Amino acid sequence: TVRDGMLFAASADGNVKQFDLATQKEVRNFFGNTDWIFAMDYDPSTHRIASGAFDGTVHIWNTESGVSLITFKARPGGATATGIHAASVQARGVKRHAGS
């Protein structure tokens, strides 16, 4: 994911890394996923990155502080589209409702 001069890359070890494209240096490493990242989304207006892992775990972090804002479990496997959608909504600052 590339937005607002930032590049976010995910790997099979569950880490999400943030790079500054101008300096080409790593800015931050986001830990917490225990499975490979299936999808992610970044919203520069809220400074949030959402990642969804194959095991269904969804993480949302603040990209300025590196603080984990929320973690929740969605449906595991390739069917994590619901969780990834919820993560994208969360990343944009919209509250997630039970059952969504």
Side-chain angles (χ1 to χ4, degrees), residues 49-67:
I49 182 100
S51 70
F54 192 75
D55 67 359
T57 304
V58 178
H59 288 276
I60 308 220
W61 291 280
N62 179 296
T63 59
E64 291 184 315
S65 66
V67 172

Side-chain angles (χ1 to χ4, degrees), residues 12-26:
D13 64 4
N15 290 333
V16 175
K17 293 187 177 193
Q18 178 181 0
F19 297 90
D20 183 317
L21 291 177
T23 63
Q24 298 183 350
K25 300 213 184 244
E26 184 179 321

Side-chain angles (χ1 to χ4, degrees), residues 32-97:
N33 288 300
T34 57
D35 205 347
W36 62 276
I37 306 296
F38 186 74
M40 65 182 165
D41 190 25
Y42 169 60
D43 183 5
S45 68
T46 61
H47 304 286
R48 293 180 182 177
I49 182 100
S51 70
F54 192 75
D55 67 359
T57 304
V58 178
H59 288 276
I60 308 220
W61 291 280
N62 179 296
T63 59
E64 291 184 315
S65 66
V67 172
S68 175
L69 301 173
I70 188 170
T71 301
F72 59 94
K73 202 73 156 165
R75 188 176 307 143
T80 54
T82 300
I84 301 313
H85 171 72
S88 295
V89 168
Q90 275 281 350
R92 287 177 173 74
V94 178
K95 292 186 178 185
R96 180 173 83 74
H97 298 282

